[in-house]
Amino acid sequence: MVQLRSYLGGQWVAGSGSPQTLLNPATEEPLATASSDGLDLRGALEHARTKGGPALRALTFAERGARLKAMADALQAERDRLLELGIANGGNTRSDAKFDVDGAIGTLLEYSQIGNALGSKKFLVDGEGIQLGRSARFHGQHIAVPRHGVAVHVNAFNFPAWGFAEKAAVALLAGMPVLSKPATSSAMVAHRIMEVLAGKKILPEGALSLLVGGAGELVSLLGAQDVLAFTGSGDTGARIRSARNVIEYSVRMNVEADSLNAALLGPDVEPRSDMYELFLKDVVRDMTQKAGQKCTAIRRVLVPQTLLSSVKEDLIELLSTVKVGDPADEDVRMGPLATASQLSDAREGVARLGGKLAFGSLSPFPHKGFFTTPVLVESPGEAVHEHEVFGPVASLLPYSENPAQLVARGNGGLVSSLYSEDQGFIEQVVMDIAPHHGRVFLGHPKVELSPGPGTVLPQLVHGGPGRAGGGEELGGARGLAFYMQRVALEGSRPVIQKLTG
Ligand code: NAP
């Protein structure tokens, strides 16, 4: 069996102690082991701070962008192998694995272009200069410079490639070295990515490290110049956020956590219309893609009371065509959940939602693997607005008036989607739900090749208030701000203007 190692301090190192075994979730076959016990995390962080940081800061944005392009090219050349690993270790169908790996490549390319556009600068000039007194000489200018610490990235199990790349691309472009920690259960993809990138020596020494296995004392070693970007459950996020050093040194932190994303069908939409069909398609895709293990997946399906039975019938019909099984089989549309504990959490979660199952079952499958059917819940209890079931599970919620209020009961989310052609209704709902989200998706059948609300695009912000963690990532050049220190320069105009070019 493969023993996954970590890439720390510019070399591959193996942990000691009893390792965790990584499985194929469709067959429960052991694939690899990983342990981080005994690794020198303090030394790894220092190596990144003292070698990787200065080397990255010496590069211009365009030069950093060129490294990101080289990273994207290297992953493209390794794509088939990465897809195979995503299928074997992640329970992904080939299409799910492409979603992850191609998303990673696309995000690296997008940020390489942003770097190219920023050109020969090494830091950002933020806004116009400001005359501060009567004399034009007294001048102020905001700039943003790369922080001198390490960007520590802790990722969830569901997107081992994209999760790695969407964070690393932004930090590296900003000029910060990265230490990335994938979730252990699905770490084989991120491990292979690191093997490829380290082998090609695309980045300066110390600019990119990978910790495979538990985080150990990692968070407690972070200081005032470091940043921590976490994606995972709200519970783990809350634990990390309250770490003593995180509070004491104001370690800059971004949390991407749970979300009860809603899809809202407008009262103007006729059954069988293009808008109606698009809505059904997006709901079914979000329930089944990656077996519903997407932070952006639709969990609450809001439909006008008058359309409830029609939507229910149509969703049941579509869900009954979804073949669940080993994603190594090409005709399988939905694979297993990632781990045994994800499966038991999903089953418990459905029970907690209450109501009835309009579609699907919680019965164990008669063979190995962490499988469940898609599950459509009707008449759920209040828990539907409080508890995220991280699997192929959505709940039907009828409304008769003010659906935006129902959406807002999710207490902060990543994305909600609206399907309507009534401009007045759209404007009202957008204004009412926007403060509760990082993104609002306006479904329209005329938007060709729409990826649906579940796809995070690097040009747009990803994150959300409240339950979603209160964070923000990506959003094109906006994302750089997290890894940079904004500072106001105050003094003589000619001096400041020379400095900022
Ligand atoms: P998780 O159990 O919270 O784990 C997330 C990551 O945190 C893993 O890498 C895990 O490492 C690590 N971790 C656990 N305890 C830690 C600690 N004390 N210090 C530092 N790191 C620690 O979440 P998950 O089960 O992987 O992911 C599912 C959840 O993620 C869902 O709730 C989903 O909504 C959320 N999610 C959110 C987004 C988003 O963008 N908002 C995206 C994807 C997923 P080990 O694997 O080694 O334990």
Side-chain angles (χ1 to χ4, degrees):
M1 204 172 355
V2 190
Q3 183 192 18
L4 301 185
R5 290 179 301 164
S6 293
Y7 190 75
L8 301 174
Q11 45 188 321
W12 288 101
V13 286
S16 54
S18 52
Q20 189 173 326
T21 303
L22 284 68
L23 304 176
N24 177 328
T27 60
E28 300 182 38
E29 175 202 355
L31 300 174
T33 61
S35 167
S36 58
D37 291 359
L39 295 178
D40 178 13
L41 300 183
R42 189 183 294 275
L45 290 168
E46 206 44 31
H47 180 81
R49 287 185 196 114
T50 54
K51 291 255 190 247
L56 281 169
R57 294 195 297 274
L59 302 176
T60 65
F61 282 109
E63 287 165 341
R64 293 174 209 153
R67 301 312 191 268
L68 298 182
K69 167 81 168 64
M71 287 167 72
D73 291 346
L75 299 197
Q76 183 66 43
E78 190 67 10
R79 183 171 180 267
D80 284 343
R81 178 72 187 129
L82 295 173
L83 297 183
E84 274 169 29
L85 288 171
I87 293 167
N89 181 215
N92 292 311
T93 62
R94 194 171 165 80
S95 154
D96 291 342
K98 283 186 197 165
F99 187 54
D100 184 30
V101 172
D102 293 345
I105 295 170
T107 304
L108 287 164
L109 287 175
E110 176 66 25
Y111 275 89
S112 87
Q113 283 170 16
I114 293 173
N116 207 24
L118 291 170
S120 59
K121 288 178 264 170
K122 293 181 180 170
F123 62 90
L124 296 174
V125 175
D126 178 358
E128 298 290 314
I130 311 152
Q131 183 174 326
L132 295 172
R134 280 216 191 146
S135 149
R137 259 192 185 269
F138 188 26
H139 189 73
Q141 174 70 61
H142 292 96
I143 61 171
V145 294
R147 291 189 139 212
H148 280 196
V150 188
V152 168
H153 293 161
V154 176
N155 284 314
F157 71 85
N158 53 347
F159 285 100
W162 176 80
F164 158 80
E166 60 105 15
K167 288 182 166 60
V170 190
L172 293 169
L173 183 60
M176 277 196 88
V178 169
L179 188 152
S180 186
K181 191 210 115 36
T184 307
S185 62
S186 63
M188 292 180 79
V189 172
H191 181 265
R192 182 64 200 144
I193 288 175
M194 189 72 233
E195 279 184 338
V196 170
L197 299 179
K200 289 196 178 292
K201 296 196 189 316
I202 292 168
L203 291 164
E205 189 184 330
L208 184 62
S209 311
L210 186 81
L211 173 64
V212 183
E217 57 172 356
L218 181 64
V219 171
S220 70
L221 298 172
L222 301 182
Q225 281 292 308
D226 301 318
V227 305
L228 173 59
F230 168 81
T231 295
S233 62
D235 288 347
T236 312
R239 214 172 321 131
I240 294 177
R241 230 197 267 269
S242 59
R244 197 177 154 184
N245 60 309
V246 169
I247 296 169
E248 195 172 336
Y249 302 124
S250 309
V251 175
R252 189 179 280 182
M253 191 171 171
N254 191 73
V255 174
E256 297 286 338
D258 311 350
S259 185
L260 296 165
N261 314 299
L264 167 51
L265 186 67
D268 56 299
V269 179
E270 297 286 339
R272 313 283 147 255
S273 64
D274 290 348
M275 184 66 89
Y276 180 86
E277 298 297 334
L278 176 72
F279 167 79
L280 294 178
K281 189 171 134 205
D282 282 354
V283 171
V284 172
R285 173 172 41 204
D286 264 16
M287 286 180 70
T288 55
Q289 188 174 48
K290 290 192 75 86
Q293 300 165 111
K294 278 189 323 192
C295 51
T296 49
I298 295 166
R299 307 289 178 201
R300 298 178 296 158
V301 183
L302 273 64
V303 296
Q305 179 73 55
T306 48
L307 289 179
L308 181 65
S309 58
S310 156
V311 169
K312 178 176 145 186
E313 245 172 59
D314 291 329
L315 284 177
I316 290 172
E317 194 183 323
L318 289 167
L319 289 170
S320 41
T321 66
V322 175
K323 181 166 176 195
V324 180
D326 186 338
D329 297 343
E330 271 180 18
D331 57 341
V332 160
R333 285 252 321 273
M334 191 179 98
L337 298 194
T339 61
S341 70
Q342 288 298 325
L343 179 61
S344 71
D345 284 358
R347 289 208 175 113
E348 278 169 28
V350 172
R352 196 165 152 188
L353 292 180
K356 303 192 286 186
L357 302 194
F359 180 86
S361 134
L362 296 183
S363 311
F365 275 47
H367 51 76
K368 282 196 164 190
F370 311 129
F371 292 102
T372 173
T373 64
V375 172
L376 183 65
V377 177
E378 62 179 321
S379 314
E382 188 54 28
V384 73
H385 303 298
E386 291 161 1
H387 183 63
E388 178 196 59
V389 184
F390 207 59
V393 179
S395 300
L396 268 174
L397 296 169
Y399 70 85
S400 35
E401 57 187 32
N402 209 343
Q405 255 182 19
L406 274 179
V407 176
R409 276 162 71 183
N411 209 8
L414 297 171
V415 56
S416 279
S417 45
L418 173 58
Y419 300 79
S420 168
E421 291 193 80
D422 175 341
Q423 191 64 24
F425 180 75
I426 293 173
E427 282 170 23
Q428 179 70 52
V429 171
V430 168
M431 286 303 126
D432 287 347
I433 69 174
H436 303 277
H437 293 87
R439 181 160 57 95
V440 174
F441 176 91
L442 303 172
H444 201 286
K446 292 213 169 105
V447 176
E448 284 163 27
L449 300 176
S450 156
T455 298
V456 174
L457 299 171
Q459 299 90 336
L460 301 180
V461 294
H462 172 58
R467 183 189 307 283
E472 187 177 298
E473 289 182 333
L474 299 171
R478 285 174 192 81
L480 298 173
F482 178 64
Y483 298 100
M484 304 185 90
Q485 182 64 36
R486 179 162 36 217
V487 56
L489 299 179
E490 177 184 350
S492 154
R493 186 168 72 162
V495 173
I496 290 176
Q497 285 183 337
K498 262 194 206 132
L499 209 140
T500 57

